[in-house]
Amino acid sequence: MNKKIALSLLSALILLPLLGCDQSSNEQQRRDTIDNNASVVDGKKSESNAPTSDANTAQLNTKGEQKHKEQLTAARSWDDIKRTGYIRALKLNFELEEALPRSYSAAAYHQSLLENFALEHQLTIKWVSAGSLNDMLEKLNTFQADIIARHLTVTESRASKIQFTLPVSSSREQLIIASHAPKPNLEQSQSITLLPGSSFIETVKENFPNWQIETFNGGVSSDDIANLLSERKVELTLLDESTVNTLLDYRQDIRVIKTLPAIKKQAWAIHPNAPALLQQLNNFINAHHLSSPTEAKRTADLDNIKKQKRPLRMITRNSPETYFLWRGELMGFDYDLLKEFAKRQGVPLQVIVADSYQQMQDLLNDGSGDVIAAGISRTEKRQKNSQFSIRYNRVNEHLIAHRDAAPITSLNDLNNRTIHVRRSSAFWMTLTSLQKKYSFNLVAADESLSTEMLIDQVDNRQIDLTVADSNLLAIEQTFRDDIVSPLVLKESIPIAYVVRENNPKLLTELNAFIAKEYRQVFYNVTKQKYFSDESQKKKLREERLLLGNQLSPYDDLVKPAAQAFNFDWRLITSQMYQESKFDPTAQSFAGARGLMQVLPKTASEFGFEQLTQPQEGILAGVTYLDWTRDRFDTKLPPQERLYFALAAYNTGFGHVRDAQKLAKQLNLRDDRWFNHVEKAMLLLQQPKYYKNARFGYCRGSEPVNYVRNIHQRYLSYLNLVP
């Protein structure tokens, strides 16, 4: 039998236990099947690892339902909100994991404003999901939430049902079509497809009364709408300008054919019977001078930015060192530092993504941004044209080689070797200086290749050598076993911020922030979060596979949890080993915790708080895996849906969707993981591809290896415990 066919049949057979159960049962029914007494660890009854009483178990089983099923018969008053310490805000299902903001994002802007409001009043936000705009309004009017904090267009019909705050933003509306579609004659009758329940329906009826209006099925995101346009499944739609601009940041397959002249006011909405809450929100809007989040290019200094409550605009790169999206969380060393700086200055932070240092300089100089924070090395050449802060970091320049390549012990060993770096990088200057004395080949790499991609090429033996700074080397060695740094080419290179010369107050405050925080607790914790080398720690972890018919110390907890959500318990055990090596106290660089390494924010969304308790940590992880599986099309083959769910668990649903879309563009199958979508996932490490992806940069090798390792270990577990 053909080997590939045999492997496919084996894969299908071993997945049969995963596919035999009806997946339509609701979460409460699943939880009710969990064994109340499943708390045996290493053959002994646990007294601390898991709740054992009926009351505790009942509490655990209903946590996920408490969040969204708070039954009230009246709107909560401001006093109720303050007393309970939280405000319930509605969010569309597809916004549970936001796209990577490259410039202004309406959804991110309004979410950050609500977070600032909550912070001022010492409140937490409990997000309530909704499937559509109509669902949002229904949940607000049935008291399931306190506020819709998004760019909701103010209309007379809506104002008769809900209470609007003062305007928070404004936007025009734009007609868009596919880039390759012919422009329609707008004077003639057209068919236009619109979001159900949106204000766009009223706009079209008013401006184009003869047009035929269709609506999208269910809750769709703006990205989904762009996909439908690009595929010519719909021909024409209407969206607000801010949403279109966000799409155009990373898509070239749609275009604007008309911008309607009317400026529409956008506001937040609450129930009409909450006047005190309305007053608090309006006070906040007035105090922060909120009216329009977008603005013309400006070169104002920090004092004017603070006075006018404008955002501090950070210019950076989408990269693993600076700014990226992981499991729905915006992260990055430079992003975290600037976010803290902006917080202390009392202004919001807005991120603008650029592709090169030259583009960063152009954005700074023309007033599109305020500060470059992208791991920029302060060199003599660059200082002639730019205003740098004092250093906030130091790095070394490391030569990168494959572990099995010819050894390099001194600079003399570089003779006749070949080094690839980008001509625009600071490494080029270092190497051209060294080339005066040593006879190595210096090759200008394609400017579209990031340093991490050049390291990947060394790892795969495609090129001989490259150069990287010590921060990126630390990140890469966390994920790669075959790269080494035989030489340090240059030591103690200062990394600094770049500002305009006419912004002395911003420069002074940045320098003061650096001087205060450099190598102090906040700085050290942030730096260690991203650049500590975990590879050695991973190698030293105990391989805690047990003998006999027990795979882990927590089999008796995993089995009922897996059964409740229609998973094979051996698969969950394999995933648990991959996540934590069976260590319930494990914590990742990003703060994911417990046996299944769930982020506290994500766990809280599902009603779990004690992630280091084995039973709760396992149930939180299985619940989250089930949630990721449910987000993929039920028409997918069940085993493929599971692979996609595992990949999404590791890196985030959005990155997997990006990979599916890219696979389709590359004539690969978007409904198969192995050898299809996983290939596209690997390409999302390359600027050429992630620049056009909604969720941006993704270390694609991580989810690819994650799914493969879990799958292979699962096969082994089936042999150990049939």
Side-chain angles (χ1 to χ4, degrees):
M1 181 183 294
N2 181 281
K3 185 176 181 181
K4 289 186 178 180
I5 296 176
L7 287 174
S8 298
L9 289 173
L10 175 62
S11 179
L13 287 171
I14 62 173
L15 282 162
L16 284 175
L18 306 177
L19 313 180
C21 300
D22 178 14
Q23 297 192 15
S24 63
S25 59
N26 61 39
E27 188 172 319
Q28 181 65 58
Q29 290 173 324
R30 291 166 172 168
R31 289 170 181 264
D32 288 344
T33 68
I34 296 173
D35 182 0
N36 293 349
N37 297 314
S39 56
V40 178
V41 179
D42 289 331
K44 298 179 181 179
K45 190 78 169 181
S46 169
E47 297 181 356
S48 59
N49 283 341
T52 55
S53 70
D54 290 342
N56 283 341
T57 302
Q59 180 184 17
L60 178 61
N61 287 346
T62 58
K63 276 184 178 180
E65 284 68 48
Q66 290 174 352
K67 182 172 171 41
H68 301 308
K69 294 186 178 179
E70 190 171 357
Q71 298 298 322
L72 298 174
T73 57
R76 294 203 311 158
S77 68
W78 177 245
D79 287 341
D80 291 333
I81 291 170
K82 289 291 289 183
R83 176 179 51 79
T84 57
Y86 63 88
I87 185 168
R88 302 167 306 165
L90 282 156
K91 183 183 286 189
L92 291 170
N93 287 336
F94 55 77
E95 291 177 339
L96 291 175
E97 182 175 281
E98 274 302 318
L100 180 92
R102 290 168 171 80
S103 54
Y104 167 72
S105 162
Y109 172 76
H110 286 266
Q111 181 174 328
S112 68
L113 288 180
L114 183 63
E115 289 170 350
N116 289 341
F117 173 79
L119 185 64
E120 286 185 11
H121 293 282
Q122 298 180 310
L123 300 171
T124 58
I125 301 172
K126 289 193 174 184
W127 294 104
V128 180
S129 65
S132 64
L133 288 170
N134 285 334
D135 189 29
M136 272 190 164
L137 296 172
E138 174 66 21
K139 287 185 174 179
L140 183 69
N141 283 324
T142 55
F143 319 117
Q144 296 177 57
D146 304 311
I147 186 171
I148 301 175
R150 61 179 286 108
H151 46 299
L152 199 63
T153 300
V154 179
T155 66
E156 289 186 10
S157 61
R158 284 176 172 172
S160 66
K161 303 172 185 176
I162 56 178
Q163 178 67 58
F164 282 108
T165 64
L166 293 173
V168 179
S169 58
S170 60
S171 183
R172 290 183 173 88
E173 295 169 333
Q174 296 181 317
L175 291 167
I176 59 173
I177 62 174
S179 294
H180 56 281
K183 182 179 178 180
N185 185 346
L186 302 183
E187 301 299 322
Q188 298 178 355
S189 179
Q190 300 292 332
S191 176
I192 187 168
T193 310
L194 303 172
L195 286 166
S198 69
S199 62
F200 306 132
I201 295 175
E202 294 182 35
T203 297
V204 171
K205 287 181 178 179
E206 179 182 345
N207 290 274
F208 308 100
N210 297 324
W211 285 16
Q212 180 181 349
I213 297 175
E214 306 288 343
T215 56
F216 294 104
N217 293 326
V220 292
S221 69
S222 59
D223 202 59
D224 294 328
I225 292 173
N227 289 340
L228 292 170
L229 286 170
S230 180
E231 296 167 5
R232 303 294 297 275
K233 293 180 179 177
V234 299
E235 293 297 326
L236 179 66
T237 194
L238 185 71
L239 294 173
D240 66 79
E241 186 175 14
S242 58
T243 300
V244 175
N245 287 339
T246 300
L247 288 170
L248 293 177
D249 273 342
Y250 64 94
R251 301 191 69 133
Q252 291 81 44
D253 54 353
I254 59 170
R255 62 188 174 108
V256 177
I257 58 169
K258 185 178 180 62
T259 299
L260 302 185
I263 298 176
K264 299 298 181 79
K265 294 180 179 179
Q266 299 170 327
W268 295 348
I270 63 170
H271 194 278
N273 297 333
L277 172 59
L278 178 65
Q279 185 62 50
Q280 292 294 335
L281 291 168
N282 284 340
N283 289 345
F284 171 79
I285 292 167
N286 275 325
H288 290 265
H289 308 290
L290 303 178
S291 61
S292 177
T294 57
E295 55 190 330
K297 296 174 181 179
R298 57 168 166 80
T299 58
D301 206 350
L302 184 61
D303 53 348
N304 285 324
I305 292 173
K306 293 170 69 173
K307 183 179 180 180
Q308 297 176 20
K309 298 289 183 179
R310 296 302 188 189
L312 180 71
R313 299 165 303 170
M314 167 188 173
I315 305 169
T316 191
R317 298 181 296 128
N318 181 199
S319 79
E321 294 177 271
T322 55
Y323 175 67
F324 62 97
L325 189 72
W326 184 78
R327 294 190 183 182
E329 296 284 323
L330 290 172
M331 306 180 71
F333 179 61
D334 288 280
Y335 174 71
D336 282 2
L337 290 183
L338 255 293
K339 188 177 182 180
E340 181 65 21
F341 172 76
K343 176 182 175 183
R344 296 186 189 183
Q345 296 297 323
V347 295
L349 182 69
Q350 180 181 331
V351 179
I352 299 168
V353 173
D355 297 327
S356 66
Y357 179 61
Q358 184 59 55
Q359 187 182 1
M360 292 180 199
Q361 284 186 309
D362 292 342
L363 289 168
L364 182 68
N365 293 333
D366 72 7
S368 297
D370 302 308
V371 54
I372 299 175
I376 302 298
S377 55
R378 191 180 65 206
T379 64
E380 290 184 11
K381 182 178 179 180
R382 286 173 173 172
Q383 282 183 291
K384 292 178 182 178
N385 302 312
S386 303
Q387 182 72 50
F388 280 83
S389 70
I390 63 175
R391 71 176 187 272
Y392 66 89
N393 196 11
R394 283 189 181 277
V395 297
N396 299 329
E397 291 183 355
H398 287 257
L399 187 71
I400 308 298
H402 193 278
R403 184 182 301 278
D404 298 331
I408 297 174
T409 59
S410 70
L411 290 171
N412 289 320
D413 293 329
L414 292 179
N415 292 332
N416 299 318
R417 301 294 291 268
T418 301
I419 307 175
H420 286 72
V421 297
R422 296 187 311 279
R423 191 183 294 272
S424 63
S425 70
F427 311 137
W428 184 268
M429 291 181 282
T430 301
L431 292 168
T432 51
S433 178
L434 285 174
Q435 210 174 24
K436 296 174 183 177
K437 187 176 180 181
Y438 303 97
S439 57
F440 56 86
N441 300 313
L442 179 57
V443 177
D446 190 316
E447 287 294 326
S448 68
L449 291 177
S450 62
T451 303
E452 53 267 30
M453 287 310 302
L454 291 172
I455 294 175
D456 183 72
Q457 290 185 4
V458 171
D459 192 19
N460 292 318
R461 308 298 291 269
Q462 294 172 278
I463 61 175
D464 185 15
L465 303 167
T466 192
V467 180
D469 67 53
S470 48
N471 282 343
L472 183 58
L473 175 61
I475 293 174
E476 292 295 318
Q477 286 185 324
T478 302
F479 299 94
R480 302 179 189 275
D481 294 325
D482 291 330
I483 60 167
V484 294
S485 175
L487 292 177
V488 175
L489 301 181
K490 195 172 182 179
E491 295 183 328
S492 198
I493 301 165
I495 302 297
Y497 301 125
V498 187
V499 300
R500 283 182 295 272
E501 290 187 359
N502 64 341
N503 286 174
K505 291 184 174 61
L506 175 57
L507 180 62
T508 298
E509 288 299 322
L510 284 168
N511 286 340
F513 174 73
I514 297 166
K516 181 179 179 182
E517 295 300 330
Y518 187 58
R519 294 188 175 177
Q520 299 303 310
V521 174
F522 167 74
Y523 177 90
N524 287 339
V525 169
T526 305
K527 186 173 182 180
Q528 184 178 13
K529 172 181 176 180
Y530 293 103
F531 304 131
S532 62
D533 186 357
E534 291 287 328
S535 59
Q536 295 304 315
K537 297 178 185 178
K538 288 182 179 180
K539 291 175 184 177
L540 294 174
R541 282 177 182 164
E542 182 182 359
E543 300 280 322
R544 295 177 61 182
L545 295 178
L546 304 181
L547 298 176
N549 61 357
Q550 191 170 8
L551 296 178
S552 81
Y554 307 103
D555 287 2
D556 291 325
L557 298 178
V558 173
K559 290 175 182 178
Q563 181 183 0
F565 289 87
N566 301 324
F567 289 116
D568 187 320
W569 73 274
R570 293 161 294 192
L571 174 88
I572 300 301
T573 304
S574 176
Q575 184 187 15
M576 182 168 60
Y577 178 83
Q578 187 73 24
E579 290 286 353
S580 68
K581 303 296 188 292
F582 304 145
D583 179 4
T585 66
Q587 181 168 330
S588 77
F589 79 102
R593 297 175 183 172
L595 288 166
M596 297 291 284
Q597 291 291 278
V598 182
L599 288 168
K601 178 181 175 182
T602 302
S604 180
E605 287 289 316
F606 293 105
F608 301 102
E609 304 295 339
Q610 305 299 322
L611 290 173
T612 56
Q613 282 193 0
Q615 184 172 5
E616 184 143 347
I618 290 168
L619 192 53
V622 177
T623 302
Y624 180 52
L625 182 62
D626 177 67
W627 181 79
T628 61
R629 179 176 60 182
D630 283 349
R631 296 190 73 188
F632 290 99
D633 194 334
T634 55
K635 294 178 182 178
L636 284 170
Q639 71 271 20
E640 298 299 335
R641 197 167 172 225
L642 180 61
Y643 299 146
F644 289 138
L646 287 170
Y649 189 107
N650 173 258
T651 195
F653 173 77
H655 289 308
V656 180
R657 284 293 299 273
D658 280 346
Q660 284 183 287
K661 181 180 177 182
L662 179 57
K664 193 171 184 179
Q665 293 171 356
L666 298 173
N667 293 319
L668 297 169
R669 294 191 61 164
D670 63 353
D671 61 347
R672 294 291 185 271
W673 175 258
F674 290 118
N675 297 315
H676 289 274
V677 174
E678 68 169 355
K679 287 184 177 180
M681 182 67 76
L682 290 171
L683 294 176
L684 290 176
Q685 298 175 134
Q686 299 183 25
K688 174 182 176 181
Y689 295 102
Y690 70 66
K691 283 196 307 184
N692 299 319
R694 184 185 183 203
F695 291 82
Y697 171 85
C698 175
R699 185 183 294 278
S701 55
E702 187 178 358
V704 167
N705 291 333
Y706 181 85
V707 175
R708 282 190 177 275
N709 289 341
I710 290 173
H711 184 243
Q712 291 301 318
R713 190 178 300 109
Y714 173 57
L715 297 182
S716 300
Y717 284 179
L718 285 173
N719 291 328
L720 288 171
V721 184

